[in-house]
């Protein structure tokens, strides 16, 4: 069934008479609104009541705002300037108020005439512009405005109570202009096809879609807004969950070779040589994985675990089980440093069990090979041969594993480390390497709140490792306010020296490398003094390393590590650090995942406010991996009351990654957290909030699973099929891409 033509009508050509071409162009370029349907789904951010005024006291600096207020006074001043030397320059200053605060508006030159006539004291209007500070007072310079007159026949009561929608707007298109455009196309909302099955909608008491669209754009009461939002949240949650449920259903139809470990094979031999017992969590999750591997359709499992909870151990045991059952296992890592690190630690953990076909190897042993893009031709040829013949049971590599040339003898399991860096396409490419689709295990060390897991990773079953193995040490975290208390920073470097004197090592993490060439375009842009002060470049590895070796860490062995170094150099630096030859490693976030040096006990994160909450938690997990306690110092120049400092305070106050990921999500826009999964104009969640609407998402998932189970092709639900096609059309397939 085709989409309803009225809603698919492009805003640009056919509707020239309805929306001017200039307006349609701005909507397409700045708001991603291309069709009448897109415009109808551009919902108000909030509503103003004409009887109430917005709070001017809470205006954010440097943001484009829309306020409703009353003119308190207006004064016209003349002044002399370069353009008007005889004192003929004109400046109109208008003060507006809302009872909570006052705001100055300024207009200059020829632009003063119209507002001087219209903005008389007592006049109410909507004003839009960018908030700036002049002479320590908030002001809007040359704001756009729309007088609120009301129709003559409109009674005072309806006027005072009416709700004015305030839309997400841009400097080029004010909220009320968007509102007018929406009023123009609102009649077509009657033709909106309702994606929710009638039984579901009626069973949950939700209003039909056309009614919801009318109520969200032209509400008469607050109850109208509530009705509309409840309904539209269900739409977003349900259509998304149907897309994920169909993916799960399709995956469950694929055939796979069941992989059951031999009772006295490689896995048993490996377990026997472990110097510790697995935690209850590791044993529970291993059982879930082994049960999945034994079925005849592919496992699709997400393994979430706190930093250091022993995910790699669980993944390795799954790989050994598959090798036991005659298959091969591949582990895909996001960076070469991480692939090399995994390869080293797997070979160390397996000992002679990793020396298949070699003298001194155990009879149950297999070969563990590394495959990365920068390997020499001979080593690469050798690794490829081991894969094709089946000599290598385990391969660890980067996306080089996905290349066409790479052939497996019998690929049974794919383990993807740090899922958010790999998309569905890469997973599918690797999956195509097996005779039948291999089983899939995805590991992430970024704890994800349950609802986000259901939204972004909804096509995977989830296992959670939430206890740390015995022997992991607690990590103390502290915020170091370098600007307010410079002596705290000096003390931080003393602490690093103390750790080194006690036989330990330290990381210093910086947001930037420091050898980037300045972009001439960027530097050509004029910046305000506030910008200059606020936006100094983030501290760089090369500069900080230089300052430390000549200053507070003089005499210690300091090395640098960053992503633009040659892979062999990176590996050599990591080896020296792992061997304890280097005291302090100054690095970028290349050390964020998987780097395991138990002797490193301290980490200093410079400009910590430039990193996200989850990233800080991830970085901090690199210390305290041995028996000595860990120390993490978050250095920042942000003032005490700033949101950035509050965020760092939250990281310092808890080691619970799930709690932090919740804080992260509440503080950032969800789009950032959901990343690529929310790309595309129609697909971003507009009214659904993944943290607050946990209940709706969970219920929508149940309903979607039931609908797809009874009608996988949605043959009896053409309107839902249409909504799904709209969600997943063209490049919007990326929607399900977790890359």
């Amino acid at each position: 069934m085709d989409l309803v033509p009225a809603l698919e009508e492009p805003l640009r050509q056919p509707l020239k008479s309805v929306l001017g071409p200039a307006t349609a162009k701005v909507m397409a370029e700045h708001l991603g609104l291309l069709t009448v349907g897109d415009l109808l789904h551009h919902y108000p951010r909030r509503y103003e009541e004409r009887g109430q005024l917005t709070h001017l006291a809470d205006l954010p600096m440097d943001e484009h705002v829309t306020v409703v207020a009353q003119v308190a006074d207006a004064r016209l001043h003349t002044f002399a300037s370069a353009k008007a030397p005889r004192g003929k320059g004109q400046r109109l200053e208008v003060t507006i108020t809302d009872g909570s605060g006052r705001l100055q508006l300024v207009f200059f030159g020829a632009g003063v005439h119209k507002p001087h006539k219209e903005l008389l004291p007592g006049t109410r209007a909507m004003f839009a512009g960018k908030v700036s500070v002049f002479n320590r007072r908030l002001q809007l310079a040359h704001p756009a405005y729309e007088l609120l007159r009301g129709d003559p026949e409109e009674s005072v009561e309806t006027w005072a109570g009416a709700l004015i929608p305030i839309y997400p707007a841009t400097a080029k298109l004010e909220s009320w202009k968007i509102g007018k455009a929406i009023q123009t196309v609102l009649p077509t909302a009657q033709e909106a096809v309702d994606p929710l099955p009638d039984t579901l909608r009626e069973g949950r008491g939700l209003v039909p879609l056309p009614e919801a669209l009318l109520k969200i754009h032209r509400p008469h009461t607050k109850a109208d807004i509530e009705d509309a939002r409840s309904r539209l949240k269900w739409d977003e949650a349900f259509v998304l969950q149907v897309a994920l449920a169909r993916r799960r259903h399709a995956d469950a139809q694929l055939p796979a070779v069941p992989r059951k470990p031999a009772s006295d094979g490689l896995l048993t031999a490996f377990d026997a040589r472990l110097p510790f017992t697995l935690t209850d969590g590791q044993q529970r999750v291993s059982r879930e994985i082994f049960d999945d591997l034994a079925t005849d359709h592919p496992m699709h499992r997400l393994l979430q675990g706190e930093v250091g909870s022993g995910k790699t151990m669980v993944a390795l045991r799954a790989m050994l089980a598959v090798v036991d059952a005659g298959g091969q296992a591949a582990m895909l890592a996001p960076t070469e440093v991480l692939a090399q690190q995994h390869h080293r630690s797997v070979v160390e953990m397996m000992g002679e069990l990793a020396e298949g076909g070699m003298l001194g190897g155990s009879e149950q042993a297999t070969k563990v090979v590394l495959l990365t893009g920068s390997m020499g031709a001979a080593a690469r040829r050798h690794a490829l041969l081991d894969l094709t013949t089946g000599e290598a049971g385990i391969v660890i590599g980067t996306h080089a594993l996905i290349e066409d040339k790479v052939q497996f003898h019998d690929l049974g399991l794919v383990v993807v480390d740090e899922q958010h860096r790999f998309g569905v396409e890469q997973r599918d490419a690797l999956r195509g390497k097996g005779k039948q689709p291999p089983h899939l295990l995805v590991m992430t060390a970024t704890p994800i709140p349950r609802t986000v897991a259901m939204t972004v990773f909804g096509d995977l079953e989830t296992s959670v490792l939430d206890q740390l193995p015995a022997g992991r040490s607690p990590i103390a975290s502290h915020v170091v306010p370098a600007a307010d208390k410079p002596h705290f920073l000096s003390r931080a470097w003393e602490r690093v020296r103390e750790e080194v004197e006690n036989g330990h090592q330290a990381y210093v993490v910086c947001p930037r490398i420091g050898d980037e060439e300045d972009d001439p375009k960027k530097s050509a842009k004029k910046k305000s003094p506030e910008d200059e002060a606020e936006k100094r470049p983030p501290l760089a590895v090369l500069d900080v390393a230089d300052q430390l070796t000549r200053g507070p860490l003089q005499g210690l062995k300091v090395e640098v590590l960053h992503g633009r170094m040659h892979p062999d150099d990176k590996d050599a630096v990591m080896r020296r650090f792992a061997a304890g030859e280097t005291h302090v490693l100054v690095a970028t976030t290349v050390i964020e995942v998987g780097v395991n040096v138990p002797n490193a006990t301290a980490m200093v994160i410079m400009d910590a406010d430039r990193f996200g909450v989850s990233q800080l938690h991830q970085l901090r997990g690199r210390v305290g991996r041995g028996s000595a306690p860990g120390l993490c110092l978050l250095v920042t120049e942000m003032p005490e009351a700033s949101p950035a400092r509050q965020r760092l305070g939250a990281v310092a106050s808890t080691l619970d990654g799930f709690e932090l990921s919740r804080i992260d999500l509440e503080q950032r826009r969800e789009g950032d957290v959901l990343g690529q999964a929310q790309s595309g104009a129609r697909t971003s969640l507009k009214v659904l909030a993944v943290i607050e609407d946990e209940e709706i998402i969970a219920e929508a998932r149940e309903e979607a699973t039931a609908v797809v189970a009874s009608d996988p092709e949605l043959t009896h639900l053409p309107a839902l099929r249409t909504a799904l096609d709209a969600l997943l059309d063209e490049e919007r397939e990326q929607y399900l891409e977790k890359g």
Side-chain angles (χ1 to χ4, degrees), residues 316-332:
L316 176 55
R317 292 183 75 241
M319 287 158 65
L320 295 174
V322 168
V323 174
D324 252 358
Q328 289 170 295
M331 183 185 244
L332 203 51

Side-chain angles (χ1 to χ4, degrees), residues 674-684 727 731-732 734-735:
L674 302 180
Q676 203 72 36
Q678 293 301 345
S679 66
R682 287 180 228 185
T683 59
S684 56
L727 182 75
E731 85 273 69
R732 293 183 175 131
Q734 292 171 341
Y735 179 68

Side-chain angles (χ1 to χ4, degrees), residues 280-316:
D280 295 346
Q282 284 175 315
Q283 289 178 348
R284 185 192 74 248
V285 171
S286 286
R287 276 196 300 276
E288 290 171 356
I289 292 171
F290 292 153
D291 288 348
D292 281 0
L293 290 174
T295 61
D296 55 8
H297 59 84
M299 164 173 83
H300 289 101
R301 191 166 281 282
L302 174 70
L303 173 56
Q304 288 194 61
E306 272 295 5
V307 176
S309 56
K311 290 182 303 299
T312 311
M313 174 59 71
V314 169
L316 176 55

Side-chain angles (χ1 to χ4, degrees), residues 229-246:
R229 286 180 67 83
S230 303
R231 162 59 216 246
L232 296 167
K233 280 183 178 192
W234 254 95
D235 269 21
E236 288 182 5
F238 181 69
V239 176
L240 166 56
Q241 290 301 338
V242 167
L244 294 164
R246 290 189 72 208

